[in-house]
Amino acid sequence: MSILVTGGSGMVGKALQKILPDAAYISRNDADLRNPDETSKIFKEIRPSQVIHLAASVGGVKANAKHNIQFFTDNLRIDTNVLQTATTNKIERLLAILSGCSYAFYDNSPTFEEDLHKGLPFEGNLGYGYAKRVLDVHCQLINKQHRFDYGTVTPVTMFGPHDNFDLEKGHVIGALIHKCLLAKETSGTFTVWGDGNAVRQFVYVDDVARVLVNLLDYKKTASAIIAPDTGISVSTLVNKIAKIVDFEGPIQYDHSQPVGLQKKILQSRSFSEIFPGFEFTPIDESLTATIKWFRESFNKNITRNN
């Protein structure tokens, strides 16, 4: 059995490499999956029997809002080419990763798996989020027509080693860690976008990798949400990072910067059934490991340009 992992050089791909060292991991350096010919060529070279589809065109809050059309069209091309090529090559098992951005969220109630195609994603993530909805529909259609087993899984916001720590384009935790370490190094101010009241959910990337590997052998085509808890406020998260980094300077919230939705809560109705007794890595432990990795990987290179 051979496994192909698209987007293999990203954060999730790197985590999977520790569990599935013999799988084939491809990145944009190996093939531009927006191009059907390049997609077909890489599949013919690797000849996988199973696929974990992670590849995507992604960005942060600002990038998603500014380039909505580009993220929509790029991801449609990537996903269509990968699924069509997998179908043509009669690959019967494929597992694709979606995004919490695909869901509509509500202030007074959580969002569940069955809500994936209800309402519209948040406007700032509409292009990327809706493309991921299309990916889920595409998987369902293939399952009905070809009797294959193409499933999707939706983790809440991931973090960990190999995350994007860029100060402007990075993900929430990666950018906050970088900012905090810079502030500590320069005896400056730890500046955080927004007012700190927004509630977000996070999951450690190693936990997601464990879930994906186990799901390969679990015959369930419906989308499953990976959410370890009911969320944490940005201010609480900031204080945890500052404590781990041992930052004792001032923390300032910049109300002029975009923060997205005020509250994003996903809950799964099926995860505990699929993985009874699954233990997620505690947030303090996973933050500590992520900060340690960033410090060791960048060492004295913690700069404003990362």
Side-chain angles (χ1 to χ4, degrees):
M1 178 183 69
S2 60
I3 300 172
L4 167 64
V5 180
T6 69
S9 64
M11 176 172 54
V12 185
K14 292 292 187 182
L16 280 170
Q17 288 178 31
K18 294 184 288 186
I19 309 175
L20 298 174
D22 296 327
Y25 296 85
I26 64 168
S27 70
R28 67 189 64 186
N29 293 327
D30 302 296
D32 182 354
L33 298 178
R34 295 171 299 180
N35 183 309
D37 293 332
E38 291 193 32
T39 307
S40 178
K41 181 180 178 182
I42 201 73
F43 269 72
K44 287 180 180 178
E45 290 175 357
I46 296 172
R47 301 178 66 83
S49 57
Q50 296 181 326
V51 175
I52 300 178
H53 178 39
L54 308 175
S57 178
V58 298
V61 175
K62 282 187 175 180
N64 278 335
K66 186 177 180 180
H67 303 291
N68 251 319
I69 295 175
Q70 180 183 336
F71 284 121
F72 182 64
T73 55
D74 280 354
N75 282 291
L76 285 181
R77 291 187 179 110
I78 291 169
D79 298 335
T80 298
N81 289 335
V82 169
L83 266 65
Q84 184 172 328
T85 304
T87 306
T88 301
N89 285 274
K90 293 182 171 51
I91 296 170
E92 296 186 3
R93 180 57 171 155
L94 179 145
L95 189 59
I97 197 164
L98 305 184
S99 168
C101 295
S102 304
Y103 286 83
F105 290 90
Y106 311 96
D107 289 334
N108 56 358
S109 64
T111 300
F112 298 95
E113 284 96 348
E114 64 267 24
D115 299 318
L116 176 59
H117 298 287
K118 295 179 181 177
L120 283 175
F122 177 62
E123 184 177 354
N125 299 315
L126 183 58
Y128 176 71
Y130 214 94
K132 289 300 180 182
R133 286 191 182 185
V134 174
L135 171 58
D136 182 71
V137 172
H138 197 166
C139 287
Q140 292 182 41
L141 292 173
I142 288 172
N143 291 335
K144 289 179 180 179
Q145 183 168 330
H146 297 283
R147 304 292 181 180
F148 290 167
D149 191 9
Y150 286 17
T152 60
V153 61
T154 306
V156 294
T157 302
M158 294 179 287
F159 72 97
H162 302 282
D163 198 353
N164 185 345
F165 293 84
D166 187 90
L167 295 174
E168 292 290 328
K169 302 175 183 178
H171 302 142
V172 177
I173 288 182
L176 286 175
I177 289 172
H178 194 170
K179 285 180 181 180
C180 189
L181 287 169
L182 271 176
K184 177 180 172 65
E185 192 174 80
T186 61
S187 299
T189 299
F190 181 12
T191 302
V192 181
W193 288 3
D195 59 9
N197 293 325
V199 175
R200 295 291 183 266
Q201 291 171 289
F202 301 96
V203 60
Y204 191 45
V205 68
D206 284 9
D207 295 339
V208 176
R210 287 192 289 138
V211 169
L212 290 172
V213 171
N214 283 294
L215 274 178
L216 274 179
D217 296 323
Y218 186 86
K219 304 304 180 183
K220 183 178 178 66
T221 55
S223 182
I225 289 171
I226 309 174
D229 53 44
T230 56
I232 182 174
S233 70
V234 171
S235 60
T236 301
L237 176 65
V238 165
N239 291 334
K240 285 181 178 293
I241 291 172
K243 182 179 180 180
I244 295 169
V245 169
D246 196 25
F247 174 76
E248 298 179 349
I251 298 174
Q252 177 179 319
Y253 289 90
D254 184 353
H255 295 225
S256 68
Q257 295 293 342
V259 294
L261 291 170
Q262 190 65 20
K263 191 174 184 180
K264 296 172 65 175
I265 300 297
L266 289 175
Q267 287 186 16
S268 177
R269 295 196 193 276
S270 60
F271 188 87
S272 59
E273 175 188 336
I274 302 170
F275 297 106
F278 186 93
E279 294 186 7
F280 288 96
T281 307
I283 184 73
D284 290 332
E285 180 181 332
S286 52
L287 282 173
T288 299
T290 303
I291 291 168
K292 181 176 183 290
W293 179 88
F294 182 67
R295 277 175 154 162
E296 291 175 350
S297 298
F298 290 89
N299 197 11
K300 296 179 181 179
N301 243 345
I302 301 175
T303 68
R304 295 194 176 276
N305 295 320
N306 193 15

